[in-house]
Amino acid sequence: MPKKPVSPLVTFTTTLERVGQQMNANPSTIALLSQPQRVIEVAIPVERDDGSLSVWHGYRVQHNNVRGPYKGGIRFHPQVNLDEIKALSAWMTLKSAVVDIPYGGAKGGITIDPQELSDRELQRLSRAFIERLGKNIGPTTDIPAPDVNTNAIIMAWFTDEYARLHDGAEHVQAAFTGKPLSLGGSQGRDAATGRGGLFVLLEYLKQLAQDSKDMTVAVQGFGNVGSWFARLASEAGFRIVAVSDANGALYHPAGLDIEQLYQALKTGGTLDQNVCYPKLSVEQAGQQTANCELISNQQLLELDVDILVPAAIENQLHDN
Amino acid sequence: MPKKPVSPLVTFTTTLERVGQQMNANPSTIALLSQPQRVIEVAIPVERDDGSLSVWHGYRVQHNNVRGPYKGGIRFHPQVNLDEIKALSAWMTLKSAVVDIPYGGAKGGITIDPQELSDRELQRLSRAFIERLGKNIGPTTDIPAPDVNTNAIIMAWFTDEYARLHDGAEHVQAAFTGKPLSLGGSQGRDAATGRGGLFVLLEYLKQLAQDSKDMTVAVQGFGNVGSWFARLASEAGFRIVAVSDANGALYHPAGLDIEQLYQALKTGGTLDQNVCYPKLSVEQAGQQTANCELISNQQLLELDVDILVPAAIENQLHDN
Amino acid sequence: MPKKPVSPLVTFTTTLERVGQQMNANPSTIALLSQPQRVIEVAIPVERDDGSLSVWHGYRVQHNNVRGPYKGGIRFHPQVNLDEIKALSAWMTLKSAVVDIPYGGAKGGITIDPQELSDRELQRLSRAFIERLGKNIGPTTDIPAPDVNTNAIIMAWFTDEYARLHDGAEHVQAAFTGKPLSLGGSQGRDAATGRGGLFVLLEYLKQLAQDSKDMTVAVQGFGNVGSWFARLASEAGFRIVAVSDANGALYHPAGLDIEQLYQALKTGGTLDQNVCYPKLSVEQAGQQTANCELISNQQLLELDVDILVPAAIENQLHDN
Amino acid sequence: MPKKPVSPLVTFTTTLERVGQQMNANPSTIALLSQPQRVIEVAIPVERDDGSLSVWHGYRVQHNNVRGPYKGGIRFHPQVNLDEIKALSAWMTLKSAVVDIPYGGAKGGITIDPQELSDRELQRLSRAFIERLGKNIGPTTDIPAPDVNTNAIIMAWFTDEYARLHDGAEHVQAAFTGKPLSLGGSQGRDAATGRGGLFVLLEYLKQLAQDSKDMTVAVQGFGNVGSWFARLASEAGFRIVAVSDANGALYHPAGLDIEQLYQALKTGGTLDQNVCYPKLSVEQAGQQTANCELISNQQLLELDVDILVPAAIENQLHDN
Amino acid sequence: MPKKPVSPLVTFTTTLERVGQQMNANPSTIALLSQPQRVIEVAIPVERDDGSLSVWHGYRVQHNNVRGPYKGGIRFHPQVNLDEIKALSAWMTLKSAVVDIPYGGAKGGITIDPQELSDRELQRLSRAFIERLGKNIGPTTDIPAPDVNTNAIIMAWFTDEYARLHDGAEHVQAAFTGKPLSLGGSQGRDAATGRGGLFVLLEYLKQLAQDSKDMTVAVQGFGNVGSWFARLASEAGFRIVAVSDANGALYHPAGLDIEQLYQALKTGGTLDQNVCYPKLSVEQAGQQTANCELISNQQLLELDVDILVPAAIENQLHDN
Amino acid sequence: MPKKPVSPLVTFTTTLERVGQQMNANPSTIALLSQPQRVIEVAIPVERDDGSLSVWHGYRVQHNNVRGPYKGGIRFHPQVNLDEIKALSAWMTLKSAVVDIPYGGAKGGITIDPQELSDRELQRLSRAFIERLGKNIGPTTDIPAPDVNTNAIIMAWFTDEYARLHDGAEHVQAAFTGKPLSLGGSQGRDAATGRGGLFVLLEYLKQLAQDSKDMTVAVQGFGNVGSWFARLASEAGFRIVAVSDANGALYHPAGLDIEQLYQALKTGGTLDQNVCYPKLSVEQAGQQTANCELISNQQLLELDVDILVPAAIENQLHDN
């Protein structure tokens, strides 16, 4: 029987308090970090293409701006809830501080399955959300970024709406990151989260004085983060033995050819509709190429690998 | 055994939906009114006089601004919670619309017992709350007012802090109502809620073609609203037979002399520490003046009177 | 053969120069008044309901603001052109000055037949126009008003869009006049132009020491201006013997019952579809009630009346 | 007999439509590009040194800002007219897009011969123009640049006036390009247009795989653009055989020594007042140095050269 | 030998401290009131008509804004100095408080004899002063008024320059009082100071239960304040026996006909160039009309009258 | 007997005029530079920790912004006075111009001994000063820096208060330089003044074609500027023979080991409490190490050295 997932916010505050005690941190500091400075929750009415009206809920949680303007993604997902967004905003504060960039932490989202909307409805929803957030965001205040199900196009809508509301018809591009390149976006933004994960891993192995050569890796999730991580890690010499998506995982002990897999999925489809792309030929790998198999996400998590990369969503790892 | 109080928000939405059906209202309208347009929730760190730091929670709920800027009080009370504030903000929208003034509805509060704070702490809390609300309030946006435990002094702090944050060191008095007269407050603000209640009652009786002369009235609550209502209603010819505060109620079937009672309580004290001030002398009232007695709030609510005025807090009236 | 209409701008500048010479005015003053201070011309792309895109042209001419913020209507009409708008803006400067109100003169318009648009297209057009005008209008700068084919609803769209673009989602109602009453419009706005014309006429007759009693009046045009003038003048004792709309004119020498006519046309229809509503019964008027007839607009202009009221559009009156 | 010059705007729109058809472009896109988004036309009253008042006309045409803030020069020239400015603004949009810089297209000008004004009048005119443009320009909105007859000094006046009107007495230097170096101008701005033309030419020859060594070049115009182009192209190995100014052209088949010519003209004068500066000595060039001659602009245009550089004004090239 | 005049600032602080002690005022309050909150001192370069440059000094002292925005005049006078302006700003704070209007106190000035400037230089000086004051003044901050040698025209220049600097080319009329009526000035502003003095005098006499009928009055100064006071007091029944200007005083024990005197001086001239206008005819007054004489200012101050009105400048009254 | 120090402002204006005459400078230019454009003087009330109120005086002098925004330090010192601040602001204008950075000159200060305040009082004072300066400072207007007794912490308070007053609760870091690195400060700021002095010295010696090797240097003052200069100059090969602080000077003809001295003083203490740290060992220097002695500041100024570095405060150098 599946256990009820632990609240991400409880996970955060529990961890914060435990670490605080270990560090002998000032209780006031822990108290300040254990809750966001500001939560904005909005109702977003959107006219549907058939003329009817639907109302969705959106959130922006501004956790802490002591080190710089609030920064964090906006996600569109049916499971978005305030508890999760609060927790993610807090982790953003800590992540910015750990890598010493002058930003604070924030997160936002709309509780919606964006696939239920037409493109025009999705645009209206995106614009209405920015209008409702009003003066709570901005280049020196709070700078949202793409996140689950929000891409460069949505950032372009956000930016354009923000510009309309604040400067007439001008471009106010600094209010959002993750924009299309042609509208002032940054090169490399697409791969950044996956690449960042790899950088951290390599630094960690360097500290452990371990050689990454042929280390085995299982990657849970093959979205933007997981696929970029897998491609770049594969290039860097890691052996990616398993990757998964919502429908299941491909597993090959001798390593998968991630680039072939990525190209095969670029035009759509899921992993379980694909054959294995072993990294080694039969000759190179011996009998192992026959071992390619489709396994479940749960099985992937339990593989005996050197490195397990959780690149899906929260609450995948738990005891029992 | 006391029943768990019904959520004020559920009371609101249930009522809204029932009325919507009776009116054949557009479901979209009901959907829009059933939730606030924007909720702002903030953590408010305040330095205590002893140098330590406490963090409180504050809320501002902006229910609807279709008819004009958001408008509604800010209360400081240990039982303040988001559910209650949402409900009260919604009633503000409806109340403004019913009397056709060009304002929308809002409400706010901080979950705190202000008596636990020194005056200087209370001032710091008040100022920090306004700072955290940031650009979400203002003269053309959202204009807070006094409410439970917030008075003209607190409005002065709010106004001064708002002015500091928005205009250098200037006075931006239109951002708050309920200020002291010397800082641009309006005459009559003090009595306004009680007087307004009396006006509505008189209009209603006019519609019913009933004479208010000697109608019997029981007033639950003798704070700002209840005491002003009682004084003004008494002047207008109603017979106030009972008034209560948190400690109990004074009851006299021939009517109480509200003005005497009010003056006696002006310098502090509770109703149960007072003798009855019968409105009529023994001669005028006969045996009745002997009937003065101290009853419970519950008994007051069950008195056989023409008019019962609930002027305390929410959820006092319920079946059994 | 109809003569080519004289350019309204030429009419204005010719008149201005002639008057200037008669007044021995400073040539610099005449030079400054002979042209607008600023002309804004915009292309307005609007998404049609079928997904295609149409582009219309709009204008705002700000003639002179020496005496106060620019003020003047915005009209939607297929014959709108820059020459006409410039001339009308100049007359606005003079009209404001003559009646000594602290406004300058402006005028604007979009070259479009609004009947070709759906309501949703018309709203999008109205909002896009305001967005393109950008920071050139505003409560202390330039305050548009309704004009030909623009009504209180369009002013509400203008106001709402202006508010969205300038203050988040707030109401910035002072940027437009002619709004619906419920959004801060002024009572009497509807009748104001017609009533103002009557006031001027009455003052003029007072100067001439003439009695208006039973003066005969022909009113060309039965739109907002003409119908209000006719109704109010009729109330004031004038005998309205003819009124016209685009299809023709109703003429009755003994006077028309304007109020009846107005009520009959309220739900649509044109004058030529209506019977005459003589002001006097057969008994009162004798044979005259038989004289009711449908005449042309041209015939109306040539009626032998005391007062001719041109309440249609420009360039109706010319020699031959 | 000289033909009436084709309207630059007609040239633009004709070209746009032809290219659009060749590209199968979306007709809406062509419709949007065929006209400016916003035209601002202003009357500019200037007090003359003798105390009288003159009024000039100025224009700013904002063609398209989809790719970034409007950008383009402001020219002072007696032939400035709206048709020309509209066309030039449109070409600016295309030029910015072709070289992929994040700006849109604009152009502006005042219809005046600046030589008729004293320096102080010219300064007053420049400042008054910026004041009349008001909030339509700015660092994130529309950033003017120097153009025909407007130089770094005028940009300094523009910038100072803009700063006065928008920030008290401060420097808001990002609102204009082409300022003096000491006021934040960019190094190389002076040569930029000519140098840019040379870069484009070199890239084009590279694509054609042609060697530029000793290619013959005729340059029409020896103002800022023509002289810089000629100097830089000469340095780069091109043989500049003819250059012209308003009074005529110097022609030498063996090439002119552009640098000597440039230095000779720096202190004033026209080309026809100068001797030829042959690039080659008699020994180097043989008889050719004798061929130096003064020819007309028309003859220059018809020279048999590898490259003809039209660096004067519009409408110089036409059939017949 | 004339004594060195006492510093107006010392007079103020001495008085303040003495009164503070009498009132047992909080020493912090006295400390706060004994000095201005903010002093702005500017150098004002002005281009002379001959092209040279002069630099003058200007001041704005903002004494206290606890009760509302700073308010006070700006004077142009060769003796303007910081000490005097500080003192006058402090008295403004007290004067506003005494009559309970929601303003604080300020004062300003330029050390200049305005008669040395041409009208165009005076305008440039006025505008440059406002530019230098920058964001320190404004409708909600500090609202200057006319004072010695500054009139409605100068207020119009101030207002226009303020508008140019803050809102493009719009009218921001609330930043200054004392403007011409046609630019939004208030009726009665001209007479206000004199009339206010009379009101205070009448109230004071009412408290003393004294009849003002035929009280004798000497008025030192016949500028705006003195002449209006004298005219209005004369109308109110006081007997004005002497008035003075810089050249001397007219004295007539039976009273002067102030209105006649005022009309005689309207077109220029000084009192000593005028004959006496006795209020009473010879018949009415008997021998007294012969007593008309020209006296010195010093003599006026020592006349035996019921009321002495010092309406000139500071430091006229002193012992010995 | 010590002579009365010359006013720094007189020193400045005298020098300016003399140089102006030598340069044949335009007298208007000298007139403009001889006085600041704007002086702001404020009273700063601060609540003491014991609840009482103290009022201090602060200044900001904005000398000239022709070349860019005002720039200069703010010092907290009991001898701060307007005369000194005016002079220092003027030198800032010249220093910025000499090294051709696009800033003007300013200076500010509060007349206070910061050691008399607790940390919390110092913070309140710092914040109140920024509030009183209001809109006179800002990133494009006037950018203060640290100076005598103001460090990175105080800059952080300034920045935070500025941010609170101007942008809600956001960071507006460009308004001040000298902030802590973690709040956006620049690396190297600490050493910049001393290092800059060394750079200038080295450039000067280069012009004189002199070798700096073993040049003897006496440094008056061992605060931020003097100690950094001494350390860097020592590294660069100069022989620092004497350094002083308020209590006296250490002198050693063979040179001091500045780095050792600096480390010894880092944890507090004064020079006179320290032994000499000769740069050379006994062997290296011979008898000289015995010569180490404690001398007075006056003696230091009269040492026979190649270079004397006045790094204390103004008015140390004078004849006799």
Side-chain angles (χ1 to χ4, degrees), chain A:
Chain A
M1 190 185 112
K3 295 178 70 171
K4 182 167 174 250
V6 178
S7 143
L9 186 54
V10 169
T11 302
F12 171 76
T13 51
T14 309
T15 308
L16 178 71
E17 272 157 31
R18 199 181 63 236
V19 172
Q21 283 168 351
Q22 290 174 359
M23 293 173 64
N24 266 329
N26 184 331
S28 294
T29 304
I30 301 304
L32 285 173
L33 287 174
S34 68
Q35 55 201 304
Q37 292 178 325
R38 195 185 287 124
V39 172
I40 304 116
E41 182 181 347
V42 295
I44 316 167
V46 176
E47 192 186 33
R48 306 302 295 260
D49 290 341
D50 65 3
S52 71
L53 189 91
S54 297
V55 183
W56 283 281
H57 281 82
Y59 307 91
R60 183 68 181 172
V61 177
Q62 299 174 327
H63 181 261
N64 198 286
N65 69 347
V66 165
R67 301 189 78 260
Y70 301 109
K71 185 95 195 71
I74 290 176
R75 53 179 57 184
F76 289 179
H77 195 274
Q79 258 111 55
V80 160
N81 61 77
L82 190 47
D83 184 274
E84 172 204 37
I85 299 291
K86 280 182 176 176
L88 293 171
S89 75
W91 289 116
M92 283 303 294
T93 299
L94 297 190
K95 283 192 280 183
S96 291
V98 161
V99 295
D100 196 18
I101 55 172
Y103 285 106
K107 202 80 175 187
I110 304 180
T111 310
I112 193 171
D113 180 354
Q115 300 196 319
E116 291 176 9
L117 298 186
S118 74
D119 266 14
R120 291 166 71 187
E121 289 169 339
L122 189 59
Q123 183 174 166
R124 286 199 288 268
L125 174 75
S126 300
R127 290 180 179 274
F129 185 42
I130 295 308
E131 182 169 356
R132 276 284 157 87
L133 290 180
K135 297 177 182 172
N136 291 292
I137 59 172
T140 62
T141 314
D142 182 353
I143 304 136
D147 205 283
V148 178
N149 288 329
T150 51
N151 54 18
I153 300 295
I154 289 176
M155 292 303 115
W157 292 333
F158 281 172
T159 305
D160 188 62
E161 187 66 20
Y162 183 85
R164 277 170 33 85
L165 297 176
H166 293 269
D167 250 326
E170 311 313 324
H171 296 270
V172 186
Q173 297 173 319
F176 297 89
T177 54
K179 298 177 295 291
L181 286 187
S182 62
L183 290 176
S186 302
Q187 289 186 320
R189 175 64 183 80
D190 202 36
T193 313
R195 192 187 304 271
L198 180 59
F199 285 169
V200 170
L201 174 60
L202 291 172
E203 287 299 309
Y204 181 60
L205 293 174
K206 199 184 295 176
Q207 287 189 14
L208 299 181
Q210 296 206 1
D211 184 7
S212 65
K213 180 70 190 164
D214 266 337
M215 274 192 164
T216 54
V217 179
V219 179
Q220 189 201 27
F222 205 65
N224 173 275
V225 177
S227 64
W228 269 108
F229 179 88
R231 290 166 74 193
L232 294 166
S234 186
E235 263 180 50
F238 291 89
R239 184 159 27 124
I240 316 296
V241 299
V243 298
S244 69
D245 62 13
N247 288 31
L250 283 180
Y251 169 59
H252 192 293
L256 298 158
D257 186 321
I258 297 299
E259 198 58 34
Q260 278 196 38
L261 208 51
Y262 176 79
Q263 297 300 335
L265 287 163
K266 252 176 92 171
T267 53
T270 55
L271 284 169
D272 60 352
Q273 298 162 336
N274 273 270
V275 296
C276 249
Y277 294 94
K279 196 162 189 186
L280 305 178
S281 65
V282 179
E283 294 72 30
Q284 290 171 310
Q287 299 301 336
Q288 282 185 320
T289 58
N291 287 346
C292 181
E293 53 185 318
L294 191 67
I295 61 176
S296 72
N297 254 299
Q298 185 59 32
Q299 287 175 301
L300 179 145
L301 292 175
E302 294 168 0
L303 285 179
D304 177 19
V305 289
D306 295 320
I307 293 159
L308 171 65
V309 178
I313 53 171
E314 296 85 4
N315 278 319
Q316 300 298 309
L317 306 182
H318 44 79
D319 51 10
N320 209 18

Side-chain angles (χ1 to χ4, degrees), chain C residues 172-187:
Chain C
V172 186
Q173 298 174 319
F176 297 89
T177 53
K179 297 177 296 292
L181 285 187
S182 63
L183 292 177
S186 302
Q187 289 186 320

Side-chain angles (χ1 to χ4, degrees), chain F residues 147-263:
Chain F
D147 205 283
V148 178
N149 288 329
T150 51
N151 55 17
I153 300 295
I154 290 176
M155 292 302 115
W157 291 333
F158 282 174
T159 306
D160 188 61
E161 188 65 20
Y162 183 85
R164 276 169 35 83
L165 296 175
H166 293 269
D167 249 328
E170 310 313 324
H171 297 268
V172 185
Q173 299 174 319
F176 297 88
T177 54
K179 297 178 296 293
L181 287 185
S182 62
L183 291 176
S186 301
Q187 289 186 321
R189 175 64 183 78
D190 201 37
T193 313
R195 193 189 303 272
L198 179 61
F199 285 170
V200 170
L201 174 60
L202 291 172
E203 287 298 311
Y204 180 60
L205 294 176
K206 202 184 295 177
Q207 286 189 17
L208 300 181
Q210 296 207 0
D211 185 5
S212 64
K213 180 67 188 165
D214 268 335
M215 273 191 165
T216 54
V217 179
V219 179
Q220 190 200 27
F222 204 68
N224 173 275
V225 177
S227 63
W228 269 107
F229 178 88
R231 292 165 72 192
L232 294 166
S234 187
E235 264 179 50
F238 291 89
R239 185 158 28 124
I240 316 295
V241 298
V243 300
S244 69
D245 61 13
N247 288 32
L250 283 179
Y251 168 61
H252 193 291
L256 298 158
D257 187 323
I258 298 298
E259 197 60 31
Q260 278 194 40
L261 209 49
Y262 177 78
Q263 297 301 335

